[in-house]
Amino acid sequence: MSAYQDTIDTITDLVDDHGQSWGAINPEYVARMRAQNRFKTGLEIAQYTADIMRRDMEEYDADSSLYTQSLGVWHGFIGQQKLISIKKHLKSTNKRYLYLSGWMVAALRSEFGPLPDQSMHEKTSVPALIEELYTFLRQADARELDLLFTQLDEARRSGDETAVEFIQSQIDNYETHVVPIIADIDAGFGNPEATYLLAKKMIEAGACALQIENQVSDEKQCGHQDGKVTVPHDDFIAKLNAIRYAFLELGIENGIIVARTDSLGAGLTQKLAVSHTPGDLGDQYNSFLDVEEISEAELTDGDVIIRREGKLLRPKRLASNLYQFRPGTGEERVVLDCITALENGADLLWIETEKPHVQQIAGMVNEIRKAVPNAKLVYNNSPSFNWTLNFRQQAYDLLEADGQDVSAYNRAELMSPEYDDTELGRLADEKIRTFQADGSAHAGIFHHLITLPTYHTAALSTDNLAKGYFGTEGMLTYVRDVQRREIREGIATVKHQNMAGSDIGDNHKEYFAGDAALKAGGKDNTMNQFG
C-alpha cells in the first residue's frame, strides 16, 4: 500500500471514530495537506538536512567526484526558484544545497539599509532569512504536489488507470525542495555566549550547518577585503564549543560546523595568545608575530614583551593597538588553524583565498591532511575574484611553461575581448569550467559555493530590462526577454498567481466549503492564457 493511501486509511478511521460531527472531513484532502506540510518545525528540517550532509560527506570521502554545490541566496523566493530550476533541469536536488551569505544579509536584508560585510547587521536577520528560505521551499513542495493532485483527479475522472497509477507513484516518491543550508554566522556576533544564543536561533530555524570565521567579532571584515584581524586559537575554539553545545542542546547530534580561516589574507591580531609551555598552541600562534629582539636596557614604559629561548622579543604594535604577523606566514597559519579546528570539533574547513588556484589550495590541504587525513573544504567560488583575468593569467603561464609562443598576448591586458576566441581564452574558459571538479579531485573541496551570485544576477537582469523598457523598445523588452522566454523555457513564474499559491488556496476553499467555495481560478482568470 502506498504511503499516500495509508494516510487516507488512517484518517478515514479517525473520521469514522468521531461520527457525524466530522462528516464533512474528506480523508483524502487531509492526506494531501499532510503531504504538503511534511516538515512541521525548523528542528525537523535541521535533523533531516544534517543527515543528508553527513551522508554526502561520507560519499565524498569514498569518491571525490561526488562533491556538492550551492548558490548564495538573499530571499526565500530566490532560493525557491533555484531549487525549482534544479528539479526541472537536473531531475533531482541530490548534492545541491543553499548558502546563506552574511555579506548578502548585510547588503540586502538589514533594517539599516545596505551595509558592508562587517557584522553590523541585526543578528536576528540571519535566522529570519533561514526561516524564510524554508517557508518558500516548503511552499514549493505544496505547489508541486497540488499540481499532481489536480492531475490525479483529472486522470480519475477520465478513467485513465495507467495515468492514475503513474501519478500516484510520483506522489509516493516525491522529492522535497528542502535541502541543506550552510548558514554564515560571521565571527559569532560577540562573545561565545552570544555565538551560542545566535546558533540556537539559526538551528531552530532549520540550519544544519553553521560557518564561523576566526576573525575578531567587532573588527570583522569581508574575507576579500583588507584589514582582517584574527583571534588566538583558544578564543576560536570556545566559539566552536558554543556552536556544538547549541546543536546538542537542541538534539541535532550530527550538526555540521564549518570552521573558516581568514589567516591567508589577515596580517593582524588583536591580542597575543596565552602560552603556558614552549611549543603549545599559544606559543605557536605568537611565533608568527613580527617581532624585534631587544635588550633589557632598551625596554620602555608600556612595552609588551615575549620571552622565547632566553631572548626578549617586542612584537610590532600598530597605532590601532593591533599586532602584525610576519609577511609570508599566511599559509603556515592557515594550516595550523585548520588542523586545530578539526581537532577541536569542526567538521569542515573553509580557507578564504585571494584567487581561485587549485594548486595553491591543494598545497595547504595536503599539509592539513598529514594530520587529519579526511580533511575537506567548503570553498568560496567568489565573485570577488576576477575569474576571467585569473584563469587567463594561469593559462598564459601554462602555455609559456610548455614552451609555446605567447608573444601574441599581453599578460597585463588579458581581460581584452580580443582574447575571447583564442587558444589562451579557450584554455582559460575550460579551466574555469572544470575548476570545481578539479578542486574536488585534487584539493579536497567537498562543497563548492558562490557566495553572492544572485546579488549580481538580480542587478544584471534588472539593468537589461530597464535599458530596453525605458528606452525605445518599451514593452517589447519585457515580452521578448522575459515573458516569451518564461513560456518557452517552462519557467514556473509565468503563472505568477499559481506560483504565489492561488490554486492551493482555491483547493483549500473547496475542501472547507465544498460547492459554496468562491474560487479565483475560473474562466475569467487571465492566467488561463498561459495554458
Side-chain angles (χ1 to χ4, degrees), residues 52-53 56-57 60 64-70 94-97 182 348 377-378 436 440 445-449:
I52 290 173
M53 273 197 75
D56 289 346
M57 289 162 68
Y60 175 81
S64 62
S65 70
L66 301 177
Y67 58 89
T68 58
Q69 299 168 289
S70 67
N94 185 38
K95 294 182 170 49
R96 283 105 187 184
Y97 305 167
I182 298 176
L348 294 168
L377 300 185
V378 170
Q436 294 187 336
S440 293
I445 300 176
F446 158 74
H447 185 78
H448 285 275
L449 60 90

Side-chain angles (χ1 to χ4, degrees), residues 76-234:
F77 177 73
I78 303 297
Q80 177 197 66
Q81 294 305 303
K82 192 193 91 166
L83 266 298
I84 287 174
S85 294
I86 287 171
K87 285 192 71 175
K88 181 180 73 172
H89 293 294
L90 303 170
K91 309 308 178 188
S92 175
T93 62
N94 185 38
K95 294 182 170 49
R96 283 105 187 184
Y97 305 167
L98 288 176
Y99 178 66
L100 187 154
S101 162
W103 193 102
M104 285 206 286
V105 171
L108 298 170
R109 299 302 299 262
S110 172
E111 292 183 10
F112 292 105
L115 293 173
D117 184 20
Q118 295 174 353
S119 290
M120 294 190 290
H121 55 278
E122 305 86 352
K123 298 178 186 181
T124 52
S125 58
V126 183
L129 179 52
I130 297 169
E131 183 176 7
E132 176 182 295
L133 284 164
Y134 280 128
T135 297
F136 273 81
L137 294 184
R138 291 165 63 224
Q139 193 265 359
D141 283 356
R143 171 190 166 273
E144 196 166 80
L145 282 165
D146 187 70
L147 294 173
L148 288 173
F149 296 144
T150 299
Q151 293 172 26
L152 181 63
D153 290 339
E154 291 173 353
R156 285 172 175 170
R157 281 194 294 269
S158 66
D160 188 343
E161 291 302 319
T162 300
V164 168
E165 185 176 346
F166 176 70
I167 297 166
Q168 186 69 65
S169 175
Q170 288 182 292
I171 294 169
D172 288 332
N173 296 292
Y174 182 76
E175 182 183 47
T176 178
H177 292 83
V178 170
V179 297
I181 290 177
I182 298 176
D184 186 359
I185 197 172
D186 280 22
F189 286 89
N191 63 18
E193 174 70 5
T195 302
Y196 154 78
L197 292 171
L198 179 56
K200 280 181 61 178
K201 288 294 185 184
M202 294 169 72
I203 298 162
E204 287 169 340
C208 70
L210 303 184
Q211 166 227 325
I212 186 166
E213 61 207 51
N214 68 336
Q215 291 192 48
V216 177
S217 289
D218 58 0
E219 297 283 356
K220 181 259 187 320
Q221 298 276 18
C222 172
H224 292 289
Q225 293 186 313
D226 205 354
K228 294 182 290 295
V229 184
T230 63
V231 297
H233 296 99
D234 283 345

Side-chain angles (χ1 to χ4, degrees), residues 331-353:
E331 291 197 5
E332 291 178 78
R333 286 184 281 127
V334 163
V335 171
L336 179 60
D337 293 345
C338 290
I339 293 172
T340 302
L342 292 173
E343 290 178 343
N344 287 275
D347 303 289
L348 294 168
L349 302 171
W350 174 317
I351 300 174
E352 195 75 303
T353 66

